[in-house]
Amino acid sequence: MGGCVSTSSRSTCSSGSNGETTSPPCMGFGFCGQKRTKRTYSERHVAQQHLPSIPNRVFMNGKSRTSCIFTQQGRKGINQDAMVVWEDFMEEDMTFCGVFDGHGPYGHLVARKVRDVLPVKLQSFLHSCNSKQNESGLTCFSGNARKTDAGDCEDDGTAEDKLNSIWREAFLKSYKAMDKELRSHPHLDCFCSGSTAVTLVKQGLNLFMGYIGDSRAVLGSKDSNDSMVATQLSVDMKPDLPREAERIKRCKGRVFALQDEPEVSRVWLPFDDAPGLAMARAFGDFCLKEYGVISIPEFSHRVLTERDQFVVLASDGVWDVLSNEEVVEIVASAPSRSSAARILVDSAAREWKLKYPTSKMDDCAVVCLFLDGKMDSESDYEEQGFSSATLQSNHSGNALESDDGQKAEPSLQRNFTVRSSEESDNYGKIPVESEGNGEPVAAEDQDWSGLEGVTRVNSLVQLPRFSEERPVL
């Protein structure tokens, strides 16, 4: 759960609402010199309202052919984390994964909107780039950018550079379009609310990543002694990073930590001690977009090897209490792959109680993507407490998204963003969606129980509103 923080008692925040075809020998995202049958983009592209019924797209607790995902509500209110795994993303050997951590009054709605819309925008831009590439007559653009013997491709280095360029452009454009849509959304007020995003696309041996905020991706690999090692694939975009702080200050924003939490640098308006955002890049948070907070993602491309075993994406609720190495060890030692995400969340929950007994546990969301494409049998999966009905719900148009607790845990680096429980009480007054029957449910009708003491938040929001209030849908 992310957010803003305000130390100003003068201000108040009055936010508003919330067929098969044969591909060419070497398409932009295919294999150089290989012919294979795959579904076309037009067959895979589905309107956003049909997303819940797309096969091989999982966004609730469960598993897919190559991954397992799990989220659990913390002790601070509604679960603001969201996650998704979308296999056969554009072709049969392509998988999209993402974790999104919302913050602010309507962070849960922002995170879900980004989860649903961002992959579709990425698809659109990739399809556009691929079409242009085919029209230009490029015939040697390998989806598997591994080093090969001379003659496989005339200029392997140039081909890999073009591959990077196309994917980088697609990620940059899709993130920009996503933030633009949030800004103009008629019913979702993102003035004081926003979301992180850590997203990846695995295609063959390639791993393409784009990310903003402090959700993290870690790779688990085996070394020469067959011991597991952790490699962090993303950078936590915190305001105290020199490059981020320099940009924010250049834009007249302020970066400093509160006296009672010196470890947590926050972004503040130039004229008021608000909103106190604990990250330098995010979707939404438009009150700070003129003062250095941006939604431009960092992009990276990695070529996988046979030693790479899995990738873990998780929100900061996990990384606050578990290290990269601890997370990799927990996933690697899970009794079954389908249970790995749940076990990781359970481990994080225990660490919250041990390390911060007076604090309220943050929401946790975990995606474990296994790179060899293998998972457990259905019987093993059900032994871990998941029924076949749970699996079906992930591929059904009637799937319900629950706002109540799900198990989740924090891992790796700690943010130490804590506030008193009194200061987080304003979250208890926010109306929330009920996706079961479409009727809004008041927050006070839910179980908002939490531990006594302090609670970690990413945004301390108390801002005056300068626009007309809009109803929550």
Side-chain angles (χ1 to χ4, degrees):
M1 187 181 292
C4 299
V5 177
S6 175
T7 59
S8 172
S9 60
R10 307 184 301 273
S11 302
T12 58
C13 184
S14 176
S15 283
S17 71
N18 150 58
E20 298 249 328
T21 61
T22 302
S23 64
C26 189
M27 290 185 65
F29 315 105
F31 297 89
C32 184
Q34 288 184 337
K35 290 185 179 180
R36 69 177 188 153
T37 300
K38 70 181 90 175
R39 290 171 234 181
T40 64
Y41 173 81
S42 60
E43 292 170 319
R44 298 296 303 132
H45 185 65
V46 183
Q48 291 177 24
Q49 59 266 32
H50 298 148
L51 283 175
S53 63
I54 295 177
N56 304 319
R57 178 182 179 271
V58 185
F59 61 95
M60 297 172 65
N61 292 350
K63 72 163 188 174
S64 66
R65 297 193 308 262
T66 61
S67 67
C68 61
I69 69 175
F70 199 86
T71 184
Q72 176 176 300
Q73 177 180 321
R75 299 283 184 168
K76 299 185 294 182
I78 190 171
N79 189 348
Q80 294 194 301
D81 287 0
M83 59 194 178
V84 67
V85 172
W86 188 344
E87 295 174 342
D88 300 339
F89 182 56
M90 286 183 68
E91 43 181 58
E92 293 176 358
D93 190 29
M94 189 179 291
T95 300
F96 175 94
C97 300
V99 166
F100 314 93
D101 183 356
H103 53 260
Y106 304 103
H108 58 297
L109 302 179
V110 180
R112 293 177 193 173
K113 174 62 70 174
V114 175
R115 175 200 66 192
D116 292 343
V117 176
L118 182 61
V120 177
K121 291 188 178 296
L122 183 59
Q123 272 189 340
S124 178
F125 285 113
L126 286 172
H127 175 61
S128 176
C129 290
N130 196 37
S131 298
K132 292 178 181 177
Q133 172 215 333
N134 290 336
E135 291 173 2
S136 66
L138 295 176
T139 58
C140 190
F141 194 67
S142 174
N144 272 345
R146 53 183 164 183
K147 299 188 188 298
T148 57
D149 295 334
D152 285 354
C153 285
E154 284 189 357
D155 191 349
D156 190 60
T158 301
E160 186 169 351
D161 289 343
K162 290 177 180 177
L163 183 70
N164 274 329
S165 178
I166 285 182
W167 280 90
R168 180 188 300 275
E169 182 181 8
F171 271 100
L172 292 175
K173 286 184 175 180
S174 60
Y175 272 63
K176 181 179 180 179
M178 182 73 250
D179 209 44
K180 183 178 180 180
E181 178 168 329
L182 290 174
R183 182 185 287 272
S184 60
H185 198 287
H187 306 302
L188 182 56
D189 191 334
C190 302
F191 187 71
C192 304
S193 301
S195 177
T196 71
V198 55
T199 58
L200 68 81
V201 176
K202 177 185 178 295
Q203 194 269 321
L205 293 176
N206 289 303
L207 205 62
F208 303 97
M209 287 189 58
Y211 55 90
I212 56 177
D214 56 3
S215 297
R216 186 183 303 172
V218 170
L219 174 68
S221 308
K222 287 186 177 181
D223 62 14
S224 57
N225 297 320
D226 278 345
S227 298
M228 293 301 301
V229 294
T231 303
Q232 188 166 321
L233 300 177
S234 60
V235 177
D236 298 346
M237 293 297 171
K238 298 291 191 180
D240 56 352
L241 292 177
R243 181 180 58 174
E244 303 298 304
E246 180 183 358
R247 183 190 67 248
I248 293 167
K249 293 175 182 178
R250 191 168 59 245
C251 296
K252 309 303 180 183
R254 296 181 297 158
V255 177
F256 63 86
L258 298 177
Q259 187 174 1
D260 61 344
E261 48 175 27
E263 305 90 350
V264 184
S265 294
R266 297 180 178 276
V267 184
W268 310 87
L269 292 167
F271 50 81
D272 195 7
D273 290 341
L277 184 65
M279 62 194 71
R281 304 191 191 193
F283 286 120
D285 295 306
F286 295 112
C287 64
L288 288 170
K289 284 295 166 67
E290 295 182 5
Y291 303 107
V293 173
I294 61 176
S295 60
I296 301 173
E298 286 291 296
F299 170 82
S300 66
H301 170 214
R302 185 182 185 93
V303 180
L304 299 170
T305 71
E306 61 182 8
R307 293 193 175 275
D308 299 327
Q309 304 297 302
F310 54 80
V311 177
V312 178
L313 308 181
S315 58
D316 63 347
V318 174
W319 308 116
D320 281 343
V321 294
L322 295 174
S323 69
N324 293 339
E325 292 73 21
E326 289 170 331
V327 167
V328 166
E329 182 59 33
I330 290 168
V331 173
S333 61
S336 65
R337 288 186 170 188
S338 57
S339 67
R342 177 178 59 83
I343 289 175
L344 179 54
V345 167
D346 289 343
S347 299
R350 286 193 297 271
E351 288 301 308
W352 272 95
K353 293 177 182 178
L354 290 173
K355 295 179 179 179
Y356 307 111
T358 62
S359 297
K360 296 180 181 179
M361 189 186 86
D362 199 0
D363 305 324
C364 296
V366 172
V367 171
C368 298
L369 175 66
F370 295 94
L371 301 174
D372 61 4
K374 298 177 182 178
M375 285 294 284
D376 310 307
S377 66
E378 179 70 17
S379 59
D380 289 339
Y381 188 69
E382 291 183 349
E383 285 176 5
Q384 297 303 319
F386 297 96
S387 67
S388 57
T390 303
L391 297 176
Q392 300 258 345
S393 69
N394 288 303
H395 307 298
S396 169
N398 297 322
L400 300 181
E401 187 166 13
S402 173
D403 284 337
D404 55 14
Q406 295 169 346
K407 295 185 178 179
E409 296 192 9
S411 40
L412 207 46
Q413 291 180 348
R414 302 142 175 89
N415 291 320
F416 300 104
T417 315
V418 294
R419 297 299 295 159
S420 67
S421 57
E422 290 82 2
E423 289 173 305
S424 64
D425 286 343
N426 61 314
Y427 281 74
K429 303 301 181 182
I430 299 166
V432 299
E433 282 187 336
S434 172
E435 298 188 9
N437 54 20
E439 295 295 326
V441 178
E444 52 265 29
D445 293 336
Q446 297 187 353
D447 180 9
W448 290 73
S449 62
L451 300 175
E452 295 297 324
V454 295
T455 181
R456 178 193 179 287
V457 293
N458 284 333
S459 180
L460 313 172
V461 178
Q462 286 186 357
L463 282 176
R465 289 291 291 144
F466 304 104
S467 62
E468 184 178 334
E469 185 172 347
R470 286 171 285 183
V472 178
L473 295 186

